[in-house]
Amino acid sequence: MSFLPAPTQLSQDQLEAEEKLRAQKSYSTALVASRREPPPYGHRKGWIPRSLEDFGDGGAFPEIHVAQFPLEMGRKKKTSNALAVQVDAEGKIKYDAIARQGQGKDKVIFSKYTDLLPKEVLNEDAPGLQKPDEEAIQELTEKTRTALEKQVSQKIAAAMPVRAADKQAPAQYIRYTPSQQGVAFNSGAKQRVIRMVEMQKDPMEPPRFKINKKIPRGPPSPPAPVMHSPSRKMTVKEQQEWKIPPCISNWKNAKGYTIPLDKRLAADGRGLQTVHINENFAKLAEALYIADRKAREAVEMRAQVEKKMAQKEKEKKEEKLRELAQMARDRRAGIKSHGDKGGEDSEARERDEIRHDRRKERQHDRNISRAAPDKRSKLQRDQDRDVSELIALGKPNPRSSSEAQYDQRLFNQSKGMDSGFAGGEDETYNVYDQPFRSGRDMASNIYRPSKNIDKDAYADDLDSLMHNNRFAPDKEFSGADHGQRREGPVQFEEDPFGLDKFLEQAKQHGGSKRPSTSNRSKDDYHDKKRRKE
């Protein structure tokens, strides 16, 4: 083959081999490729397809383990409501495009600072500031009236149960020249005239389309523009002041975070509030201290007074005993005492004793009123109470005894807390666990009448009424037989009035016309007697 000339026409295999060799050389030597194609198989190490040209006409490369989207297949389309940047005549960005989004093109929207400033009227004769003439007013009035009449007529027609057919529009005549000319077409005519008439609409036909769909309301008018002051750089102090700690709950921690104590206390807000103590607390403490001191002084003074009184009483008793002992010694020795002077001396001694006792009582009352005035008023109050008040207060039988009295219900309480709660059962409604004053003294003192209350009502017959047996069954009527005593119910004699004899006589005189009358009367009588028995 080396001696043969080179072929002018190459085969298909040779062409493909040369093409591959040329491609490899161009990929290895060229700095910039005019057309981006994926590298051949075996030379794709470290290569990642990024754009659509990297895939060529084929699909993804399985040996490259990255997410691949050939021809944008499988990629999620991102929808954005971002607007395109628009520039005004001066080259500044038109930010009012955001407020104008979804609005009509002719709607006036104020979004600039200059829109808030009043316009200066330079020329009063400007056409935009002039009033409309009469023709414009008339034309606008007629147009408004027509639109209102149309809306009202539509509302009335829709509300009527049967409506008339709508008026047809006038016929229209259309002249046209057909493209096919000749004797064989259009009956040899060069032009045609068509009469177009609106099709008659059936008034009873139901609507063909659903027109009751609720469409979303259009966007409202944009809010008034808020003019912000120019932004200024914040200082470190302002940044610290605007640093708001996060909300940290003292009860919930769903995520299980470990929160430092300083952060928890900062979120609690304890350092932000200052504690103010009311001055009344100091006044109250001082008043309590003074009252305690006064009470202690009063108790100490009362104890001293009682001690002195007891000492005086003891001295008086000792003096009296000493006098009695001296009198006894004198009487034993036969010496007449100075007190035995006769009846006058004894009467004077009695008067002195009475005077001494009364002075003692007055001193006792003065001591009580001076030491404990509330006790004196309480004693006097109990003395002046009525019987009903004493019963209501639980004091029906006040006994003057020297020994202290205690409420016996307070003793023998072995249940503890269960005594008032019925063993912890809330459903049982037992307000009182024991009866109030269940003894005999209470009933005898409250409900026993006085001795002479019945004598006022019945006078001297009370004893005879009490001893007389009024409801005894043995008491007989006057004129009755006292010798015969019955046992059991009352017994009647048969025919005590001689009615049978009278009926027999009437039967004899009357004959045998009505024989059943006397027998029926007799039977009635016996029935009545049986009923009485």
Side-chain angles (χ1 to χ4, degrees):
M1 292 177 63
S2 61
F3 295 105
L4 295 176
T8 57
Q9 300 290 335
L10 297 177
S11 62
Q12 186 66 26
D13 296 337
Q14 291 175 346
L15 289 173
E16 289 181 358
E18 286 185 2
E19 188 69 27
K20 280 185 178 182
L21 185 61
R22 194 182 302 113
Q24 290 179 2
K25 287 182 179 180
S26 64
Y27 176 74
S28 58
T29 58
L31 294 176
V32 180
S34 61
R35 183 182 179 187
R36 295 178 61 181
E37 291 185 356
Y41 190 77
H43 299 275
R44 298 173 183 167
K45 186 177 181 181
W47 180 75
I48 298 175
R50 300 289 186 184
S51 60
L52 294 176
E53 290 83 3
D54 293 342
F55 296 99
D57 295 334
F61 302 98
E63 67 272 15
I64 302 173
H65 301 290
V66 294
Q68 306 175 38
F69 304 98
L71 301 178
E72 297 293 337
M73 291 187 298
R75 189 189 297 274
K76 292 183 179 179
K77 295 183 179 180
K78 296 181 180 179
T79 58
S80 176
N81 57 355
L83 298 175
V85 179
Q86 299 180 8
V87 184
D88 57 0
E90 299 178 358
K92 296 180 181 180
I93 299 175
K94 297 173 65 176
Y95 292 104
D96 59 346
I98 300 172
R100 197 176 288 278
Q101 186 181 7
Q103 305 291 337
K105 60 179 182 177
D106 297 332
K107 189 166 186 177
V108 179
I109 295 175
F110 303 102
S111 60
K112 295 180 294 185
Y113 171 70
T114 55
D115 295 337
L116 299 178
L117 298 177
K119 290 186 177 181
E120 296 182 3
V121 180
L122 300 176
N123 187 12
E124 295 182 358
D125 298 335
L129 300 177
Q130 302 301 320
K131 291 184 179 181
D133 53 357
E134 291 294 333
E135 295 181 0
I137 293 174
Q138 192 69 22
E139 182 181 356
L140 187 60
T141 305
E142 189 66 24
K143 193 184 296 183
T144 306
R145 187 181 61 78
T146 307
L148 290 176
E149 284 183 356
K150 185 178 180 181
Q151 289 186 0
V152 170
S153 61
Q154 287 178 357
K155 294 280 186 182
I156 294 173
M160 293 177 64
V162 179
R163 57 179 184 175
D166 296 335
K167 295 181 178 180
Q168 295 182 3
Q172 295 181 0
Y173 295 93
I174 301 171
R175 177 182 295 178
Y176 78 101
T177 303
S179 60
Q180 297 176 345
Q181 296 289 340
V183 182
F185 303 101
N186 302 322
S187 303
K190 292 182 178 181
Q191 289 182 346
R192 273 181 168 273
V193 178
I194 298 175
R195 182 173 177 267
M196 185 176 290
V197 184
E198 186 179 357
M199 184 178 178
Q200 181 69 40
K201 186 178 180 181
D202 188 2
M204 300 300 292
E205 183 183 5
R208 297 182 181 179
F209 309 104
K210 290 183 178 179
I211 57 174
N212 58 350
K213 286 185 179 181
K214 291 184 178 180
I215 58 176
R217 188 179 295 177
S221 59
V226 179
M227 298 303 169
H228 297 279
S229 61
S231 61
R232 59 181 180 273
K233 194 174 182 180
M234 291 183 65
T235 60
V236 180
K237 185 179 178 181
E238 290 179 348
Q239 290 179 2
Q240 293 295 332
E241 289 176 352
W242 276 101
K243 191 174 183 180
I244 302 172
C247 180
I248 299 173
S249 175
N250 289 327
W251 295 274
K252 293 183 180 179
N253 190 9
K255 301 289 185 180
Y257 293 143
T258 304
I259 303 167
L261 288 177
D262 56 346
K263 301 296 188 294
R264 187 177 290 279
L265 291 176
D268 195 7
R270 296 179 185 176
L272 302 178
Q273 54 187 354
T274 57
V275 180
H276 295 283
I277 300 176
N278 198 345
E279 59 180 5
N280 292 331
F281 284 105
K283 294 180 181 178
L284 176 63
E286 187 178 358
L288 289 175
Y289 174 72
I290 293 173
D292 181 71
R293 189 178 63 189
K294 291 285 183 66
R296 289 179 185 276
E297 292 176 359
V299 168
E300 187 177 357
M301 190 180 299
R302 194 180 302 119
Q304 291 178 0
V305 170
E306 289 178 357
K307 190 175 180 180
K308 290 181 180 178
M309 290 176 63
Q311 185 70 22
K312 288 181 180 180
E313 288 288 334
K314 190 176 180 181
E315 291 176 358
K316 287 181 181 179
K317 285 183 181 179
E318 289 179 356
E319 183 69 26
K320 195 171 184 179
L321 288 174
R322 198 177 294 111
E323 289 179 0
L324 289 174
Q326 184 66 30
M327 288 171 63
R329 281 194 221 102
D330 294 344
R331 196 179 296 113
R332 198 180 302 118
I335 302 172
K336 188 176 181 182
S337 62
H338 296 287
D340 300 336
K341 293 183 179 179
E344 295 180 0
D345 295 340
S346 62
E347 291 177 1
R349 195 185 312 114
E350 288 179 1
R351 287 196 298 273
D352 291 339
E353 289 179 359
I354 292 171
R355 210 175 284 115
H356 179 68
D357 292 340
R358 289 182 179 176
R359 190 185 306 113
K360 196 174 179 181
E361 289 178 0
R362 287 194 296 273
Q363 182 68 24
H364 181 65
D365 292 341
R366 278 198 302 273
N367 292 336
I368 290 177
S369 62
R370 191 185 302 115
D374 54 345
K375 189 175 180 182
R376 175 179 174 84
S377 62
K378 186 177 180 183
L379 292 172
Q380 292 178 354
R381 203 186 313 126
D382 291 341
Q383 289 176 1
D384 299 334
R385 285 192 188 279
D386 195 10
V387 179
S388 59
E389 293 181 3
L390 292 174
I391 293 172
L393 292 172
K395 300 178 181 179
N397 190 13
R399 293 186 295 271
S400 60
S401 61
S402 60
E403 61 180 5
Q405 296 181 3
Y406 302 95
D407 193 353
Q408 300 297 326
R409 293 173 296 171
L410 300 176
F411 305 125
N412 300 327
Q413 295 287 339
S414 60
K415 292 184 180 180
M417 282 296 291
D418 296 341
S419 61
F421 295 98
E425 298 179 4
D426 295 336
E427 295 180 359
T428 58
Y429 187 72
N430 292 331
V431 181
Y432 308 105
D433 55 346
Q434 293 179 2
F436 174 68
R437 289 187 178 271
S438 59
R440 297 180 180 178
D441 297 340
M442 185 71 180
S444 62
N445 287 320
I446 294 179
Y447 301 108
R448 173 175 291 178
S450 63
K451 294 181 180 179
N452 299 326
I453 191 170
D454 290 331
K455 275 193 173 183
D456 297 338
Y458 299 105
D460 296 334
D461 297 336
L462 178 63
D463 296 334
S464 61
L465 289 174
M466 289 176 64
H467 295 294
N468 190 7
N469 199 355
R470 288 179 290 175
F471 301 102
D474 296 336
K475 190 174 182 180
E476 300 174 349
F477 294 99
S478 60
D481 189 3
H482 297 278
Q484 184 180 359
R485 296 176 63 86
R486 71 173 188 275
E487 294 180 357
V490 180
Q491 298 178 0
F492 294 92
E493 296 179 359
E494 185 177 359
D495 195 9
F497 303 106
L499 187 61
D500 292 339
K501 186 178 179 180
F502 175 74
L503 291 173
E504 289 291 338
Q505 293 176 2
K507 183 178 178 182
Q508 291 176 4
H509 289 289
S512 58
K513 290 183 181 180
R514 300 176 66 183
S516 62
T517 306
S518 61
N519 294 334
R520 186 165 58 249
S521 302
K522 195 173 183 180
D523 293 340
D524 294 341
Y525 169 73
H526 285 300
D527 290 339
K528 289 180 180 179
K529 188 171 70 173
R530 275 191 228 104
R531 284 194 218 102
K532 286 182 179 180
E533 291 177 357

